[in-house]
């Protein structure tokens, strides 16, 4: 007991020596803030025992409040004296020297606010954020100098003085290790583009590190769609030109081997779900080239089959079995029962421009839907493919204690304006140059607006089109087209007419199945037609038309060989008249093309068939410009409009027919040139028939007893050719020889066409 008493006394004496009771608090230096507010920020009261460490904590609290530029405190006897210098109040925040980025966009990143207090650390953070924005735009030489302008009454103005410098453009994009696909093919998968002066609105040719990383991901997805499951894509460190205006980008690709699909199995835990129906839902078959997109489509199809039986909460897990020796991947699609988890809410973040409704359509999921990571990833991929966004992140969060999930969709948008142009030559158009501008996310609504014009030797055209992809908030596209075209066909082949045409059209389209789509179109066409051998000069024609067409598309493409397997088709019917058209008729059109590739996909057999029929009402006359003609690219070996009925006096004057049927069979094959040059040879056989013209055309002049050459005989031809997919664009050379023809037909043995887009 005697030992404890001295120890307690010592501790009491220690506390008494270092802790003092505050009897008064003096605040020194405050001008705008009252004393009581400072005391509350310091969190100290009279009567409190404090020591030196407590005084230090008071100083820290006041400094961290952000209201003071300097703070000191000390005990003077029992009096706590706090000396402060109030931080200046920011009167105004301005940005100067910015031309490439608007002041509004820059101020969104500035955290320093007017009527707030001045803080050096916040100013530095603002500068870092602004520099990041400029670097994303390709301005790596930007300098930002923040200025503090002292005013009266402890106020300051903050000015961010910006020297933007010049953007860093992508000089060239190259690839290393791409043995299976040409650089030209891979560049089509990229958002980034090499510098060109006409891309000044799109910004895709300005270096952006985030976009380059996304491009690397897109290249990897391309390889995964074409069988290369082990592909690795890295971005090499590029280099600046000496003047630091341009940057070279190199993608390093390790392709690996191409794999095919092996054995496919489905593990089905549900006894009332038909296995045969599940097998029919598979979108891939044994022997197909591995395609990540088709596998994801298969997962969705299997879930749909199971959901149709009332099992909404399932997961489909793909279990691969990779055989490196035979280069095949067998897969088990294991359908698993899962707990019932629902989406509680979907929160879209970061969309400054794109409407939430557009993003919701792209996602394809709604609050209240069953939670599925597969559906969420599918929605993310669809959003990225729209090219509206630089980045999309899906962040699901479980609500504790419930079976509900919230989903945050974090997006970063990017410009969606595209400029393009091209030059080319063909027998039907002569030399051609075209240019256009397209906005694929107009006003953030997902709408597509396009303005395009072309000038060619025989045609001139201007087109304005608008498309709303989600009309009335549904999976229904709608739009309009305004098209003005001048046809100078008086000296082209055997056409023998000129035509100026203004067309106004409205359309609705929707998807019927995965492969079938339908479109309905209402149009008004105002023409001025000049038939070189008709009486009366220019003739006006007004045509009002309502029609519909059905399209079928089911193709698998080998991008390396540029060959396909599948079928594409288009069938349509249209009525022109309504009692206000200058001519009244029905028109029926159809075309179907089948393709198959074989022998390592280097060979391709293609067969196509087209037909058309215009049916006049009663004795209505169908003007020559609205009839059918064959020749040139539609029947090689013959001149454009080179077959069919013909004027007896002007044998270079084709009369055209009220119907036609033509087709072609072509075999493409490799030549003795490495595949990387994308040169193919081909042989072909073409055939075609043009029906008779209206009976009024049987005599020339009418009722003169001089009969024109009228026929609807079959013509055939055969030939050879070379297709070269050059770095500048595709070129097509063909030589055709008529096998069956009439004496008044017009031959043309050689055809050439090429086109380049930039």
């Amino acid at each position: 007991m005697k030992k404890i008493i001295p120890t307690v006394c010592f501790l009491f004496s220690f506390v008494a020596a270092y802790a003092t009771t505050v009897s008064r608090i003096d605040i020194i230096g405050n001008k705008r803030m009252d004393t009581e507010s400072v005391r509350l920020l310091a969190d100290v009261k009279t009567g409190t025992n404090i020591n030196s460490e407590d005084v230090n904590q008071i100083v820290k609290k006041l400094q961290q409040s952000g209201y003071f530029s300097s703070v000191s405190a000390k005990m003077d006897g029992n009096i706590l004296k706090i000396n402060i210098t109030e931080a200046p109040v920011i009167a105004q925040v301005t940005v100067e020297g910015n031309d490439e980025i608007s002041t509004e966009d820059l101020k969104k990143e500035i955290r320093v606010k007017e009527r707030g207090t001045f803080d050096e650390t916040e100013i530095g953070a603002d500068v870092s954020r602004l520099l990041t924005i400029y670097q994303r735009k390709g301005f790596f030489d930007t300098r930002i100098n923040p200025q503090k302008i002292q005013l009266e009454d402890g106020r300051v103005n903050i000015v961010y003085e910006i020297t933007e410098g010049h953007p860093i453009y992508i000089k060239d994009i190259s690839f290393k290790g791409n043995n299976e696909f040409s650089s030209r093919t891979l560049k089509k998968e990229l958002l980034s583009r090499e510098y060109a002066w006409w891309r000044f609105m799109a910004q895709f040719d300005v270096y952006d590190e985030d976009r380059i990383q996304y491009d690397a991901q897109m290249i990897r997805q391309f390889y995964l769609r074409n069988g290369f499951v082990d592909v690795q894509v890295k971005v090499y460190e590029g280099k600046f030109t000496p003047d630091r205006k341009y940057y070279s980008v190199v993608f390093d690709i390790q392709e690996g081997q191409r794999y095919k699909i092996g054995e496919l199995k489905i593990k089905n835990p549900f006894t009332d779900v038909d296995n045969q129906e599940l097998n029919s839902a598979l979108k891939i078959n044994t022997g197909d080239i591995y395609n990540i997109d088709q596998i994801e489509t298969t997962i969705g199809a299997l879930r749909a089959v199971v959901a149709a039986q009332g099992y909404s909460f399932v997961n489909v897990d793909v279990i691969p079995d990779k055989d490196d020796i035979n280069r095949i991947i067998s897969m088990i699609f294991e359908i698993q029962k899962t707990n019932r988890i629902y989406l509680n809410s979907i929160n879209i973040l970061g969309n400054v421009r794109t409407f939430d409704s557009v993003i919701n359509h792209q996602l394809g999921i709604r609050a209240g839907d069953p939670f599925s990571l597969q559906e969420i990833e599918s929605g993310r991929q669809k959003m990225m493919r729209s090219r509206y966004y630089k980045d999309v992140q899906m962040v699901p969060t479980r609500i504790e204690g419930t079976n509900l999930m919230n989903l945050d969709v974090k997006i970063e948008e990017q410009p969606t304006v595209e400029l393009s142009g091209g030059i080319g030559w063909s027998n039907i158009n002569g030399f051609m140059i075209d240019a256009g501008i397209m906005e694929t996310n107009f006003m953030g609504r997902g709408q597509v607006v396009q303005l395009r014009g072309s000038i060619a030797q025989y045609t001139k055209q201007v087109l304005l089109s608008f498309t709303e992809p989600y009309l009335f908030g549904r999976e229904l596209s709608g739009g309009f087209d305004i098209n003005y075209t001048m046809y100078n066909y008086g000296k082209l082949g055997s056409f023998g007419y000129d035509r100026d045409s203004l067309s106004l059209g409205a359309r609705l389209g929707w998807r019927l199945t995965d492969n079938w789509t339908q479109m309905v179109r209402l149009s008004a066409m105002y023409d001025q037609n000049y038939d070189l051998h008709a009486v009366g000069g220019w003739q006006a024609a007004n045509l009002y038309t309502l029609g519909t067409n059905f399209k079928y598309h089911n193709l698998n493409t080998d991008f390396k060989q540029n060959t396909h397997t599948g079928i594409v088709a288009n069938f349509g019917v249209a009525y022109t008249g309504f009692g206000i058209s200058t001519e009244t008729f029905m028109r029926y059109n159809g075309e179907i093309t089948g393709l198959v590739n074989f022998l390592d996909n280097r060979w391709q057999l293609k067969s196509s068939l087209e037909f058309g029929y215009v049916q006049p009402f009663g004795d209505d006359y169908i003007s020559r410009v609205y009839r059918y003609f064959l020749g040139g690219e539609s029947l090689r070996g013959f001149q454009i409009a080179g077959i069919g009925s013909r004027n007896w006096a002007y044998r270079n004057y084709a009369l055209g027919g009220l119907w036609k049927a033509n087709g072609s069979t072509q075999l493409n094959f490799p030549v003795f040139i490495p595949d990387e040059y994308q040169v193919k040879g081909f042989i072909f056989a073409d055939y075609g028939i043009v029906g008779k013209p209206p009976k009024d055309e049987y005599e020339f002049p009418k009722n003169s007893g001089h009969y024109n050459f009228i026929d609807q005989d079959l013509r055939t031809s055969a030939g050879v050719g070379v297709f070269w997919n050059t770095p500048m664009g595709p070129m097509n050379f063909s030589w055709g020889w008529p096998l069956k023809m009439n004496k008044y037909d017009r031959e043309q043995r050689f055809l050439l066409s090429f086109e380049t887009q930039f």
Side-chain angles (χ1 to χ4, degrees), residues 27 30-40 86:
I27 308 298
N30 56 316
K31 297 179 180 179
R32 297 188 308 273
M33 187 175 291
D34 61 86
T35 300
E36 181 61 20
S37 296
V38 177
R39 188 193 65 75
L40 289 173
E86 293 175 327

Side-chain angles (χ1 to χ4, degrees), residues 92 105 121 324 343 397 441 466 477 527-528 608 631 635 703:
Q92 189 177 26
D105 288 340
T121 58
D324 293 329
L343 273 174
T397 306
N441 188 18
F466 170 85
S477 68
D527 290 355
Q528 291 288 331
S608 62
L635 187 58
N703 300 322

Side-chain angles (χ1 to χ4, degrees), residues 32 66-67 87-93 111-119 122 154-156 158:
R32 297 188 308 273
Y67 292 108
V89 173
I90 299 173
Q92 189 177 26
V93 179
R111 300 294 183 262
V112 172
K113 302 300 181 184
E114 295 175 358
R115 293 187 296 277
T117 55
F118 177 82
D119 188 333
E122 287 190 2
R155 296 178 301 121
V156 294
I158 304 300

Side-chain angles (χ1 to χ4, degrees), residues 15-25 44-51 54 75-80:
V15 172
Y18 289 91
T20 304
T21 301
V22 178
S23 62
R24 194 176 79 202
I25 301 173
V44 62
K45 300 177 181 178
T46 57
T48 305
N49 291 327
I50 63 173
N51 55 29
D54 294 328
M75 289 298 300
D76 186 1
N78 292 333
I79 301 173
L80 174 61

Side-chain angles (χ1 to χ4, degrees), residues 60-259:
K60 286 183 178 180
K61 288 179 181 178
L62 291 174
Q63 288 175 335
Q64 291 172 355
S65 71
Y67 292 108
F68 312 104
S69 57
S70 65
V71 179
S72 64
K74 66 177 182 178
M75 289 298 300
D76 186 1
N78 292 333
I79 301 173
L80 174 61
K81 293 185 176 182
I82 301 175
N83 285 277
I84 60 173
T85 301
E86 293 175 327
V89 173
I90 299 173
Q92 189 177 26
V93 179
T94 58
V95 179
E96 296 180 356
N98 55 307
D99 293 323
E100 297 295 332
I101 303 177
S102 70
T103 299
E104 181 182 358
D105 288 340
L106 291 175
K107 280 196 170 183
K108 291 176 183 177
E109 299 299 323
I110 295 176
R111 300 294 183 262
V112 172
K113 302 300 181 184
E114 295 175 358
R115 293 187 296 277
T117 55
F118 177 82
D119 188 333
E120 289 282 0
T121 58
E122 287 190 2
I123 298 292
D126 284 346
V127 170
S128 296
R129 281 189 291 270
L130 295 178
L131 286 173
T132 299
I133 291 178
Y134 271 97
Q135 288 171 2
R136 287 177 178 173
K137 291 284 188 179
F139 289 81
F140 285 84
D141 291 334
T142 299
R143 301 290 182 267
I144 300 178
N145 182 26
Q147 295 289 332
K148 181 176 71 172
I149 301 174
Q150 199 74 42
L151 304 175
E152 296 178 352
D153 301 326
R155 296 178 301 121
V156 294
N157 286 342
I158 304 300
V159 180
Y160 294 91
E161 295 181 349
I162 300 175
T163 304
E164 292 181 327
H166 55 77
I168 305 298
Y169 292 101
I170 300 173
K171 181 181 180 181
D172 54 68
I173 300 173
S174 58
F175 302 88
K176 178 183 178 182
N178 56 315
N179 300 315
E180 296 294 328
F181 300 102
S182 69
S183 296
R184 184 169 180 265
T185 298
L186 294 178
K187 284 181 181 179
K188 294 178 181 178
E189 301 299 315
L190 307 179
L191 280 177
S192 299
R193 294 290 185 266
E194 294 170 336
Y195 170 75
W197 64 266
W198 59 82
R199 295 196 176 106
F200 63 92
M201 292 185 65
Q203 296 290 319
F204 291 133
D205 55 353
V206 173
Y207 178 79
D208 185 317
E209 185 174 352
D210 292 338
R211 188 175 67 244
I212 295 297
Q213 293 298 330
Y214 172 71
D215 286 337
Q217 180 183 349
M218 295 301 291
I219 295 172
R220 185 173 183 273
Q221 287 295 115
F222 173 79
Y223 272 91
L224 289 174
R225 291 195 299 270
N226 287 278
F228 295 87
V229 298
D230 298 322
V231 64
Q232 299 292 326
V233 182
K234 299 178 181 178
V235 182
Y236 255 22
E237 287 294 332
K239 60 181 181 179
F240 287 98
T241 56
D243 58 5
R244 290 185 62 84
K245 288 186 177 180
Y246 301 98
Y247 192 83
S248 298
V249 178
V250 182
F251 292 96
D252 182 21
I253 303 173
Q254 298 176 17
E255 294 178 324
Q257 300 296 327
R258 173 177 278 183
Y259 285 75

Side-chain angles (χ1 to χ4, degrees), residues 167-432:
I168 305 298
Y169 292 101
I170 300 173
K171 181 181 180 181
D172 54 68
I173 300 173
S174 58
F175 302 88
K176 178 183 178 182
N178 56 315
N179 300 315
E180 296 294 328
F181 300 102
S182 69
S183 296
R184 184 169 180 265
T185 298
L186 294 178
K187 284 181 181 179
K188 294 178 181 178
E189 301 299 315
L190 307 179
L191 280 177
S192 299
R193 294 290 185 266
E194 294 170 336
Y195 170 75
W197 64 266
W198 59 82
R199 295 196 176 106
F200 63 92
M201 292 185 65
Q203 296 290 319
F204 291 133
D205 55 353
V206 173
Y207 178 79
D208 185 317
E209 185 174 352
D210 292 338
R211 188 175 67 244
I212 295 297
Q213 293 298 330
Y214 172 71
D215 286 337
Q217 180 183 349
M218 295 301 291
I219 295 172
R220 185 173 183 273
Q221 287 295 115
F222 173 79
Y223 272 91
L224 289 174
R225 291 195 299 270
N226 287 278
F228 295 87
V229 298
D230 298 322
V231 64
Q232 299 292 326
V233 182
K234 299 178 181 178
V235 182
Y236 255 22
E237 287 294 332
K239 60 181 181 179
F240 287 98
T241 56
D243 58 5
R244 290 185 62 84
K245 288 186 177 180
Y246 301 98
Y247 192 83
S248 298
V249 178
V250 182
F251 292 96
D252 182 21
I253 303 173
Q254 298 176 17
E255 294 178 324
Q257 300 296 327
R258 173 177 278 183
Y259 285 75
K260 293 186 176 181
I261 301 296
E263 185 180 7
L264 299 173
K265 294 181 179 179
I266 300 174
K267 282 190 176 181
N268 176 18
F270 303 104
T271 57
D272 55 343
V273 177
D274 185 22
N275 288 324
Q276 185 174 355
E277 189 174 356
L278 288 172
N279 286 321
S280 299
L282 293 174
K283 304 300 181 182
I284 52 177
N285 299 295
T286 299
D288 288 351
I289 298 296
Y290 178 92
N291 185 324
I292 188 67
D293 286 353
Q294 291 179 348
I295 292 172
E296 291 178 356
T297 302
T298 295
I299 291 172
L302 292 174
R303 292 185 73 252
V305 171
V306 176
Q309 299 298 321
Y311 301 103
S312 299
F313 299 91
V314 297
N315 183 51
V316 180
D317 190 20
V318 180
I319 304 173
D321 182 11
K322 189 159 162 271
D323 183 348
D324 293 329
I325 297 176
N326 297 308
R327 298 180 189 172
I328 60 173
I329 297 181
S330 299
M331 283 177 281
I332 299 175
F333 292 90
E334 184 176 5
I335 302 173
Q336 303 168 339
K337 299 179 181 179
T338 61
N339 295 327
R340 297 193 172 191
I341 302 175
Y342 296 90
L343 273 174
N344 177 62
S345 65
I346 300 176
N347 307 308
I348 301 171
L349 308 172
N351 54 319
V352 177
R353 184 164 177 261
T354 306
F355 280 59
D356 285 1
S357 58
V358 174
I359 298 172
N360 284 326
H361 276 293
Q362 293 173 334
L363 280 173
I365 53 178
R366 301 287 185 271
D369 286 354
F371 179 81
S372 168
L373 288 175
Q374 294 164 351
E375 292 295 330
I376 291 172
E377 176 59 20
S378 176
R380 191 190 76 84
Q381 290 289 340
K382 185 177 179 181
M383 289 180 66
M384 291 300 294
R385 283 195 292 268
S386 73
R387 300 198 172 192
Y388 297 172
Y389 319 102
K390 183 181 295 183
D391 187 35
V392 177
Q393 296 180 14
M394 303 292 196
V395 183
T397 306
R398 182 75 174 263
I399 301 177
E400 189 174 353
T402 70
N403 64 338
L404 300 175
M405 298 283 286
N406 291 330
L407 177 65
D408 289 343
V409 182
K410 299 180 179 180
I411 67 175
E412 182 180 353
E413 295 172 306
Q414 64 183 5
T416 52
V417 176
E418 298 179 11
L419 289 176
S420 62
I423 58 174
W425 192 93
S426 67
N427 293 80
I428 189 67
N429 286 318
F431 179 77
M432 178 186 68

